[in-house]
Amino acid sequence: MALDSKVPEGPIKDKWTDYKNHIDLVNPANKRNIDIIVVGTGLAGGSAAATLAELGYNVKAFAYQDSPRRAHSIAAQGGINAAKNFQGDGDSNYRLFYDTVKGGDYRSREANVHRLAEVSGNIIDQCVAQGVPFARDYGGLLDNRSFGGVLVSRTFYAKGQTGQQLLLGAYSAMNRQIARGKIEMFNRHEMLDVVKIGGKARGIIARNLITGEIERHSAHAVVIATGGYGNVYFLSTNAMGSNATAAWKIHKKGAYFANPCYTQIHPTCIPRSGDYQSKLTLMSESLRNDGRIWVPAKLEDAKAIQQGKLKPTDIAEADRDYYLERRYPAFGNLVPRDVASRAAKERCDAGYGVNATGEAVYLDFTFAIERYGKEQAKIHGIKDATPAKIYELGQAIVEAKYGNLFQMYEKIVDENPYKTPMMIYPATHYTMGGIWVDYNLMTTVEGLYCIGEANFSDHGANRLGASALMQGLADGYFVLPYTIGDYLSHDIRTGKIPTNTPEFDEVEKEVKDRIDFFINNKGTKSVDYFHKKLGKVMWDKVGMSRNEKGLTEAMAEIKAIREEFWKEVKVPGSANEMNVELEKAGRVADFLELGELFAKDALVRRESCGGHFREESVELDGEQKGEAKRDDVNFAFVSAWEYKGEPADAVLHKEELEFKDIELKQRSYK
């Protein structure tokens, strides 16, 4: 099947407007007769469900949590981008478009990214109208801060809990529709497969996670909004329940999976403290606005810190290496995430890491506290303020901006980050890859849509900070409601989709057979045993740095773990009850296939770009020596993988990327 991205003709600035002017619409009376299933109720799914129901469609929404407000979007901290130019610092839709394509290392589809930039401003207006408490400046206007990879301040935020506040906005909009009966909410339900009738997505099979009951649900279209697959690494900043099952199941039913190797390693996370950990904690990238990142310049100082003989405050200013400011003077501590993460790994690999494991660098707020303190002393007319008073005043400003993040850090690490620098280290965070979709956000299966982090569409090989919330809400509030209407306009005479059909029978049997296997298998090892083994292979060989030998080994090792899993996995309990181990077993089974495709995709892409760093592809000389080296002649395409049974047998389809509005050039942050 040929990939057709369905990008409209015409100049990029007019594509979306012209497209909306010419699509087919469904009239309000007919919308009442059309059903849509939305799987996932984070920012993408929640905003889509609320908007589609507001338009008049009948929506069935599914969440594996006990409430949509627990979706993992709640964990996003630092902010949401929009090109409103409130700061008057030169921002525009074009600059947001440009920064996103450049930040993604020129591996995104231009038309989708331009549309994202165009609708970004509407998101802020919508959320303010919902009552989202964005931070405001002294004049009462919405405040902005900067994030990595850009030279302007375009990030709207609510302290360090932006995701939570935006999710509550979407959730309140959903609740209004639930009360009206336009959204039927299925909490504690997990989608386990999609049902196709006549080649079109017409429903899902879901499991009630409380009773274990297997249910059939039909609709005229199905929307997948189930987030990313970062937990393939076992340790990640994702919630432990975050999984790839819905996306992987639709892949096995014909939806192509795009760019699985594009994963984001976030530079500012609380370092791992031991083998007993089951997840990692994100510290918002917004901290890099005011925090300076450093390691000791002398190896003996680093060793002394690792052994507990020195504290960071013992290291003189002259003996500190602010390595991001040294290597990337133009952007400093605000280089994009992939660049910052690799730079931290390079310093730690060279022996300059600062905690007992040697896998940490410092994020230091001393300078920001002093700067803000002196400013506040002037504002308040305090002459000859003591250093202690300056520190007190400065700390109050930092606390107002980032207080909940500092509090969270102190609870986890048991150190006061106002007095001693934070320790951070990169961790798996976001996945730019995902289900391939066209301009309409439809997958390669008719009537099956994919939005938010679960699709691949906007971020290329590296997502800029604060763009995940932007894409999720853009897709749900402002893109999908138009594009899905064009498709559903052909379904106004279809009538209700029955569930008592051979297609539903067949898929339900597949789902039940798999559950029965897990419950009845007489293995000896837990699900987590296999997940941890997979995660170690992924981090060691398909992590921040990749090479041909490691990737080839990873594919073989993941296959071996998968084969052992199907022989040796043990799932206690029964199928007809709440059974968390059974849920995990299905999810890890999917990760064990996805992980191998991930390694295969990384092996095929013999270039470095964004979050995908191949050791064989680095700049050997010149100003960019040691930096990632892209290969635009051979790899300016989206890898879209078609399922053929074994992950190793997946067939590659290429969507060639065209750059008509942005010049392909070296991505430099120096």
Side-chain angles (χ1 to χ4, degrees), residues 4 23 26 78 95 118 146 179 187 194 208 223 228 262 264 271 365 393 398 408 438 445 473 481 493 566 609 617 629:
D4 178 6
I23 54 172
V26 182
R95 193 173 284 279
E118 283 177 72
S146 191
N187 293 326
V194 65
N208 179 326
V223 180
Y262 289 163
Q264 183 157 83
F365 284 84
L393 292 167
V398 169
M408 187 170 72
D438 62 17
V445 174
L473 292 179
R493 293 188 188 84
W566 287 107
C609 61
S617 189
K629 184 179 185 180

PDB file of all heavy atoms in Angstrom, residues 4 23 26 78 95 118 146 179 187 194 208 223 228 262 264 271 365 393 398 408 438 445 473 481 493 566 609 617 629:
ATOM      1  N   ASP A   4       0.051   7.767   1.357  1.00  0.00           N
ATOM      2  CA  ASP A   4      -0.454   9.033   0.832  1.00  0.00           C
ATOM      3  C   ASP A   4      -0.697   9.950   2.017  1.00  0.00           C
ATOM      4  O   ASP A   4      -1.635   9.752   2.797  1.00  0.00           O
ATOM      5  CB  ASP A   4      -1.753   8.790   0.057  1.00  0.00           C
ATOM      6  CG  ASP A   4      -2.343  10.090  -0.480  1.00  0.00           C
ATOM      7  OD1 ASP A   4      -1.680  11.146  -0.338  1.00  0.00           O
ATOM      8  OD2 ASP A   4      -3.465  10.056  -1.016  1.00  0.00           O
ATOM      9  N   ILE A  23     -13.819  20.902   2.922  1.00  0.00           N
ATOM     10  CA  ILE A  23     -14.172  19.556   3.383  1.00  0.00           C
ATOM     11  C   ILE A  23     -15.688  19.386   3.449  1.00  0.00           C
ATOM     12  O   ILE A  23     -16.441  20.355   3.530  1.00  0.00           O
ATOM     13  CB  ILE A  23     -13.567  19.233   4.777  1.00  0.00           C
ATOM     14  CG1 ILE A  23     -13.961  20.321   5.803  1.00  0.00           C
ATOM     15  CG2 ILE A  23     -12.078  19.042   4.712  1.00  0.00           C
ATOM     16  CD1 ILE A  23     -13.565  19.980   7.223  1.00  0.00           C
ATOM     17  N   VAL A  26     -20.876  17.318   8.387  1.00  0.00           N
ATOM     18  CA  VAL A  26     -22.041  16.546   8.835  1.00  0.00           C
ATOM     19  C   VAL A  26     -22.983  17.522   9.513  1.00  0.00           C
ATOM     20  O   VAL A  26     -22.575  18.252  10.426  1.00  0.00           O
ATOM     21  CB  VAL A  26     -21.614  15.453   9.851  1.00  0.00           C
ATOM     22  CG1 VAL A  26     -22.826  14.629  10.280  1.00  0.00           C
ATOM     23  CG2 VAL A  26     -20.527  14.558   9.268  1.00  0.00           C
ATOM     24  N   GLY A  78       6.380  21.802  32.827  1.00  0.00           N
ATOM     25  CA  GLY A  78       6.932  23.121  32.529  1.00  0.00           C
ATOM     26  C   GLY A  78       6.080  24.071  31.728  1.00  0.00           C
ATOM     27  O   GLY A  78       6.186  25.277  31.890  1.00  0.00           O
ATOM     28  N   ARG A  95       8.045  31.462  13.131  1.00  0.00           N
ATOM     29  CA  ARG A  95       9.205  31.117  13.956  1.00  0.00           C
ATOM     30  C   ARG A  95       8.944  29.851  14.777  1.00  0.00           C
ATOM     31  O   ARG A  95       9.830  29.026  14.966  1.00  0.00           O
ATOM     32  CB  ARG A  95       9.579  32.284  14.869  1.00  0.00           C
ATOM     33  CG  ARG A  95      10.946  32.105  15.511  1.00  0.00           C
ATOM     34  CD  ARG A  95      11.368  33.348  16.267  1.00  0.00           C
ATOM     35  NE  ARG A  95      11.808  34.425  15.397  1.00  0.00           N
ATOM     36  CZ  ARG A  95      13.035  34.498  14.872  1.00  0.00           C
ATOM     37  NH1 ARG A  95      13.917  33.557  15.110  1.00  0.00           N
ATOM     38  NH2 ARG A  95      13.361  35.503  14.100  1.00  0.00           N
ATOM     39  N   GLU A 118      -0.065  27.351  13.599  1.00  0.00           N
ATOM     40  CA  GLU A 118      -1.224  28.219  13.333  1.00  0.00           C
ATOM     41  C   GLU A 118      -2.273  28.136  14.436  1.00  0.00           C
ATOM     42  O   GLU A 118      -2.868  29.142  14.821  1.00  0.00           O
ATOM     43  CB  GLU A 118      -1.897  27.812  12.014  1.00  0.00           C
ATOM     44  CG  GLU A 118      -1.199  28.265  10.757  1.00  0.00           C
ATOM     45  CD  GLU A 118      -1.946  27.726   9.533  1.00  0.00           C
ATOM     46  OE1 GLU A 118      -3.050  28.231   9.252  1.00  0.00           O
ATOM     47  OE2 GLU A 118      -1.432  26.804   8.883  1.00  0.00           O
ATOM     48  N   SER A 146      11.037  30.723  28.680  1.00  0.00           N
ATOM     49  CA  SER A 146      11.696  30.102  27.530  1.00  0.00           C
ATOM     50  C   SER A 146      11.970  28.631  27.805  1.00  0.00           C
ATOM     51  O   SER A 146      12.022  28.193  28.951  1.00  0.00           O
ATOM     52  CB  SER A 146      13.006  30.832  27.215  1.00  0.00           C
ATOM     53  OG  SER A 146      13.500  30.405  25.965  1.00  0.00           O
ATOM     54  N   ALA A 179     -22.400  14.741  31.637  1.00  0.00           N
ATOM     55  CA  ALA A 179     -23.676  15.083  32.297  1.00  0.00           C
ATOM     56  C   ALA A 179     -24.811  15.188  31.284  1.00  0.00           C
ATOM     57  O   ALA A 179     -25.959  14.840  31.578  1.00  0.00           O
ATOM     58  CB  ALA A 179     -23.524  16.399  33.071  1.00  0.00           C
ATOM     59  N   ASN A 187     -14.544   4.274  32.618  1.00  0.00           N
ATOM     60  CA  ASN A 187     -13.334   4.267  33.435  1.00  0.00           C
ATOM     61  C   ASN A 187     -12.928   2.823  33.723  1.00  0.00           C
ATOM     62  O   ASN A 187     -13.749   1.909  33.658  1.00  0.00           O
ATOM     63  CB  ASN A 187     -13.583   4.984  34.774  1.00  0.00           C
ATOM     64  CG  ASN A 187     -13.823   6.472  34.571  1.00  0.00           C
ATOM     65  OD1 ASN A 187     -13.239   7.077  33.684  1.00  0.00           O
ATOM     66  ND2 ASN A 187     -14.689   7.053  35.388  1.00  0.00           N
ATOM     67  N   VAL A 194      -8.666  -3.777  18.182  1.00  0.00           N
ATOM     68  CA  VAL A 194      -9.580  -3.010  17.336  1.00  0.00           C
ATOM     69  C   VAL A 194     -10.309  -3.988  16.416  1.00  0.00           C
ATOM     70  O   VAL A 194      -9.757  -5.028  16.048  1.00  0.00           O
ATOM     71  CB  VAL A 194      -8.810  -1.937  16.521  1.00  0.00           C
ATOM     72  CG1 VAL A 194      -7.852  -2.570  15.525  1.00  0.00           C
ATOM     73  CG2 VAL A 194      -9.765  -0.988  15.809  1.00  0.00           C
ATOM     74  N   ASN A 208     -13.069  -4.827  31.157  1.00  0.00           N
ATOM     75  CA  ASN A 208     -13.405  -4.118  32.381  1.00  0.00           C
ATOM     76  C   ASN A 208     -12.383  -4.546  33.435  1.00  0.00           C
ATOM     77  O   ASN A 208     -12.328  -5.706  33.823  1.00  0.00           O
ATOM     78  CB  ASN A 208     -14.828  -4.485  32.813  1.00  0.00           C
ATOM     79  CG  ASN A 208     -15.240  -3.802  34.099  1.00  0.00           C
ATOM     80  OD1 ASN A 208     -14.424  -3.578  34.989  1.00  0.00           O
ATOM     81  ND2 ASN A 208     -16.523  -3.481  34.204  1.00  0.00           N
ATOM     82  N   VAL A 223     -10.764   6.520  17.602  1.00  0.00           N
ATOM     83  CA  VAL A 223      -9.647   7.452  17.798  1.00  0.00           C
ATOM     84  C   VAL A 223      -8.748   6.910  18.908  1.00  0.00           C
ATOM     85  O   VAL A 223      -9.217   6.658  20.024  1.00  0.00           O
ATOM     86  CB  VAL A 223     -10.158   8.855  18.197  1.00  0.00           C
ATOM     87  CG1 VAL A 223      -8.989   9.815  18.396  1.00  0.00           C
ATOM     88  CG2 VAL A 223     -11.135   9.387  17.154  1.00  0.00           C
ATOM     89  N   GLY A 228       2.565   7.644  24.601  1.00  0.00           N
ATOM     90  CA  GLY A 228       3.779   7.090  23.998  1.00  0.00           C
ATOM     91  C   GLY A 228       4.199   5.756  24.579  1.00  0.00           C
ATOM     92  O   GLY A 228       3.543   5.196  25.453  1.00  0.00           O
ATOM     93  N   TYR A 262      12.822   7.007  17.250  1.00  0.00           N
ATOM     94  CA  TYR A 262      12.918   8.394  17.717  1.00  0.00           C
ATOM     95  C   TYR A 262      12.346   8.502  19.136  1.00  0.00           C
ATOM     96  O   TYR A 262      11.150   8.687  19.322  1.00  0.00           O
ATOM     97  CB  TYR A 262      12.131   9.327  16.796  1.00  0.00           C
ATOM     98  CG  TYR A 262      12.729   9.556  15.431  1.00  0.00           C
ATOM     99  CD1 TYR A 262      11.955  10.078  14.394  1.00  0.00           C
ATOM    100  CD2 TYR A 262      14.061   9.268  15.157  1.00  0.00           C
ATOM    101  CE1 TYR A 262      12.486  10.310  13.136  1.00  0.00           C
ATOM    102  CE2 TYR A 262      14.599   9.495  13.896  1.00  0.00           C
ATOM    103  CZ  TYR A 262      13.806  10.011  12.897  1.00  0.00           C
ATOM    104  OH  TYR A 262      14.330  10.237  11.651  1.00  0.00           O
ATOM    105  N   GLN A 264      12.861  10.351  23.028  1.00  0.00           N
ATOM    106  CA  GLN A 264      13.507  11.481  23.677  1.00  0.00           C
ATOM    107  C   GLN A 264      14.034  11.096  25.046  1.00  0.00           C
ATOM    108  O   GLN A 264      13.301  10.559  25.875  1.00  0.00           O
ATOM    109  CB  GLN A 264      12.504  12.615  23.850  1.00  0.00           C
ATOM    110  CG  GLN A 264      13.152  13.834  24.447  1.00  0.00           C
ATOM    111  CD  GLN A 264      12.376  15.071  24.116  1.00  0.00           C
ATOM    112  OE1 GLN A 264      11.396  15.372  24.790  1.00  0.00           O
ATOM    113  NE2 GLN A 264      12.765  15.764  23.083  1.00  0.00           N
ATOM    114  N   PRO A 271      18.342  11.492  39.298  1.00  0.00           N
ATOM    115  CA  PRO A 271      19.138  10.303  38.938  1.00  0.00           C
ATOM    116  C   PRO A 271      18.632   9.029  39.611  1.00  0.00           C
ATOM    117  O   PRO A 271      18.006   9.064  40.676  1.00  0.00           O
ATOM    118  CB  PRO A 271      20.547  10.658  39.440  1.00  0.00           C
ATOM    119  CG  PRO A 271      20.561  12.139  39.580  1.00  0.00           C
ATOM    120  CD  PRO A 271      19.165  12.537  39.927  1.00  0.00           C
ATOM    121  N   PHE A 365      21.074  26.719  41.312  1.00  0.00           N
ATOM    122  CA  PHE A 365      20.231  27.919  41.319  1.00  0.00           C
ATOM    123  C   PHE A 365      20.824  29.080  42.111  1.00  0.00           C
ATOM    124  O   PHE A 365      20.193  30.115  42.258  1.00  0.00           O
ATOM    125  CB  PHE A 365      18.841  27.571  41.873  1.00  0.00           C
ATOM    126  CG  PHE A 365      18.013  26.833  40.873  1.00  0.00           C
ATOM    127  CD1 PHE A 365      18.148  25.461  40.731  1.00  0.00           C
ATOM    128  CD2 PHE A 365      17.135  27.502  40.036  1.00  0.00           C
ATOM    129  CE1 PHE A 365      17.419  24.779  39.777  1.00  0.00           C
ATOM    130  CE2 PHE A 365      16.402  26.822  39.089  1.00  0.00           C
ATOM    131  CZ  PHE A 365      16.548  25.462  38.952  1.00  0.00           C
ATOM    132  N   LEU A 393      15.265  36.993  49.764  1.00  0.00           N
ATOM    133  CA  LEU A 393      14.402  37.620  48.758  1.00  0.00           C
ATOM    134  C   LEU A 393      14.419  36.842  47.443  1.00  0.00           C
ATOM    135  O   LEU A 393      13.380  36.645  46.803  1.00  0.00           O
ATOM    136  CB  LEU A 393      14.858  39.064  48.515  1.00  0.00           C
ATOM    137  CG  LEU A 393      14.664  40.053  49.672  1.00  0.00           C
ATOM    138  CD1 LEU A 393      15.438  41.340  49.412  1.00  0.00           C
ATOM    139  CD2 LEU A 393      13.179  40.361  49.868  1.00  0.00           C
ATOM    140  N   VAL A 398      12.231  32.418  43.284  1.00  0.00           N
ATOM    141  CA  VAL A 398      12.414  31.080  42.706  1.00  0.00           C
ATOM    142  C   VAL A 398      11.297  30.154  43.180  1.00  0.00           C
ATOM    143  O   VAL A 398      10.749  29.354  42.418  1.00  0.00           O
ATOM    144  CB  VAL A 398      13.816  30.527  43.062  1.00  0.00           C
ATOM    145  CG1 VAL A 398      13.924  29.058  42.704  1.00  0.00           C
ATOM    146  CG2 VAL A 398      14.894  31.326  42.332  1.00  0.00           C
ATOM    147  N   MET A 408       9.161  18.663  45.475  1.00  0.00           N
ATOM    148  CA  MET A 408       9.177  17.268  45.026  1.00  0.00           C
ATOM    149  C   MET A 408      10.603  16.705  45.083  1.00  0.00           C
ATOM    150  O   MET A 408      10.832  15.585  45.546  1.00  0.00           O
ATOM    151  CB  MET A 408       8.634  17.220  43.588  1.00  0.00           C
ATOM    152  CG  MET A 408       8.419  15.836  43.030  1.00  0.00           C
ATOM    153  SD  MET A 408       7.504  15.940  41.472  1.00  0.00           S
ATOM    154  CE  MET A 408       8.740  16.604  40.374  1.00  0.00           C
ATOM    155  N   ASP A 438      -1.893  10.399   8.288  1.00  0.00           N
ATOM    156  CA  ASP A 438      -1.823  11.374   7.198  1.00  0.00           C
ATOM    157  C   ASP A 438      -2.204  12.761   7.729  1.00  0.00           C
ATOM    158  O   ASP A 438      -2.336  12.958   8.945  1.00  0.00           O
ATOM    159  CB  ASP A 438      -2.718  10.940   6.029  1.00  0.00           C
ATOM    160  CG  ASP A 438      -4.199  10.845   6.402  1.00  0.00           C
ATOM    161  OD1 ASP A 438      -4.583  11.419   7.445  1.00  0.00           O
ATOM    162  OD2 ASP A 438      -4.969  10.207   5.658  1.00  0.00           O
ATOM    163  N   VAL A 445      -5.363   2.518   8.328  1.00  0.00           N
ATOM    164  CA  VAL A 445      -6.637   1.786   8.404  1.00  0.00           C
ATOM    165  C   VAL A 445      -7.757   2.826   8.332  1.00  0.00           C
ATOM    166  O   VAL A 445      -7.789   3.781   9.105  1.00  0.00           O
ATOM    167  CB  VAL A 445      -6.753   0.981   9.716  1.00  0.00           C
ATOM    168  CG1 VAL A 445      -8.138   0.347   9.843  1.00  0.00           C
ATOM    169  CG2 VAL A 445      -5.659  -0.082   9.785  1.00  0.00           C
ATOM    170  N   LEU A 473      -3.374  19.056  22.569  1.00  0.00           N
ATOM    171  CA  LEU A 473      -4.573  19.900  22.566  1.00  0.00           C
ATOM    172  C   LEU A 473      -4.908  20.413  21.171  1.00  0.00           C
ATOM    173  O   LEU A 473      -6.081  20.581  20.831  1.00  0.00           O
ATOM    174  CB  LEU A 473      -4.391  21.070  23.539  1.00  0.00           C
ATOM    175  CG  LEU A 473      -4.352  20.670  25.018  1.00  0.00           C
ATOM    176  CD1 LEU A 473      -4.155  21.888  25.907  1.00  0.00           C
ATOM    177  CD2 LEU A 473      -5.615  19.927  25.430  1.00  0.00           C
ATOM    178  N   PRO A 481     -11.491  17.369  15.102  1.00  0.00           N
ATOM    179  CA  PRO A 481     -12.928  17.617  14.908  1.00  0.00           C
ATOM    180  C   PRO A 481     -13.291  18.027  13.476  1.00  0.00           C
ATOM    181  O   PRO A 481     -14.403  17.762  13.015  1.00  0.00           O
ATOM    182  CB  PRO A 481     -13.216  18.752  15.906  1.00  0.00           C
ATOM    183  CG  PRO A 481     -12.213  18.530  16.996  1.00  0.00           C
ATOM    184  CD  PRO A 481     -10.964  18.087  16.272  1.00  0.00           C
ATOM    185  N   ARG A 493     -25.767   7.537   6.470  1.00  0.00           N
ATOM    186  CA  ARG A 493     -26.846   6.566   6.216  1.00  0.00           C
ATOM    187  C   ARG A 493     -26.494   5.167   6.707  1.00  0.00           C
ATOM    188  O   ARG A 493     -27.258   4.227   6.515  1.00  0.00           O
ATOM    189  CB  ARG A 493     -27.153   6.501   4.707  1.00  0.00           C
ATOM    190  CG  ARG A 493     -27.757   7.770   4.154  1.00  0.00           C
ATOM    191  CD  ARG A 493     -28.213   7.587   2.710  1.00  0.00           C
ATOM    192  NE  ARG A 493     -28.615   8.863   2.122  1.00  0.00           N
ATOM    193  CZ  ARG A 493     -27.771   9.732   1.582  1.00  0.00           C
ATOM    194  NH1 ARG A 493     -26.476   9.477   1.557  1.00  0.00           N
ATOM    195  NH2 ARG A 493     -28.211  10.872   1.071  1.00  0.00           N
ATOM    196  N   TRP A 566       7.194 -16.133  26.735  1.00  0.00           N
ATOM    197  CA  TRP A 566       6.018 -16.950  26.405  1.00  0.00           C
ATOM    198  C   TRP A 566       6.100 -18.345  27.024  1.00  0.00           C
ATOM    199  O   TRP A 566       5.080 -19.003  27.217  1.00  0.00           O
ATOM    200  CB  TRP A 566       5.832 -17.033  24.888  1.00  0.00           C
ATOM    201  CG  TRP A 566       5.322 -15.735  24.332  1.00  0.00           C
ATOM    202  CD1 TRP A 566       6.025 -14.825  23.594  1.00  0.00           C
ATOM    203  CD2 TRP A 566       4.019 -15.167  24.510  1.00  0.00           C
ATOM    204  NE1 TRP A 566       5.240 -13.734  23.297  1.00  0.00           N
ATOM    205  CE2 TRP A 566       4.009 -13.914  23.848  1.00  0.00           C
ATOM    206  CE3 TRP A 566       2.858 -15.595  25.179  1.00  0.00           C
ATOM    207  CZ2 TRP A 566       2.879 -13.098  23.825  1.00  0.00           C
ATOM    208  CZ3 TRP A 566       1.737 -14.771  25.141  1.00  0.00           C
ATOM    209  CH2 TRP A 566       1.757 -13.550  24.477  1.00  0.00           C
ATOM    210  N   CYS A 609      20.296  11.747  14.048  1.00  0.00           N
ATOM    211  CA  CYS A 609      19.367  12.880  13.939  1.00  0.00           C
ATOM    212  C   CYS A 609      18.539  12.940  15.215  1.00  0.00           C
ATOM    213  O   CYS A 609      18.003  11.926  15.658  1.00  0.00           O
ATOM    214  CB  CYS A 609      18.480  12.768  12.699  1.00  0.00           C
ATOM    215  SG  CYS A 609      17.456  11.326  12.654  1.00  0.00           S
ATOM    216  N   SER A 617      27.975   8.020  12.933  1.00  0.00           N
ATOM    217  CA  SER A 617      27.610   9.199  12.152  1.00  0.00           C
ATOM    218  C   SER A 617      27.781  10.476  12.986  1.00  0.00           C
ATOM    219  O   SER A 617      26.826  11.040  13.501  1.00  0.00           O
ATOM    220  CB  SER A 617      26.148   9.063  11.680  1.00  0.00           C
ATOM    221  OG  SER A 617      25.825  10.069  10.774  1.00  0.00           O
ATOM    222  N   LYS A 629      25.690  13.843  13.041  1.00  0.00           N
ATOM    223  CA  LYS A 629      25.786  14.120  11.604  1.00  0.00           C
ATOM    224  C   LYS A 629      24.591  13.501  10.880  1.00  0.00           C
ATOM    225  O   LYS A 629      24.424  12.289  10.855  1.00  0.00           O
ATOM    226  CB  LYS A 629      27.090  13.536  11.053  1.00  0.00           C
ATOM    227  CG  LYS A 629      27.326  13.867   9.589  1.00  0.00           C
ATOM    228  CD  LYS A 629      28.642  13.299   9.102  1.00  0.00           C
ATOM    229  CE  LYS A 629      28.932  13.721   7.677  1.00  0.00           C
ATOM    230  NZ  LYS A 629      30.205  13.164   7.203  1.00  0.00           N
TER     231      LYS A 629
END
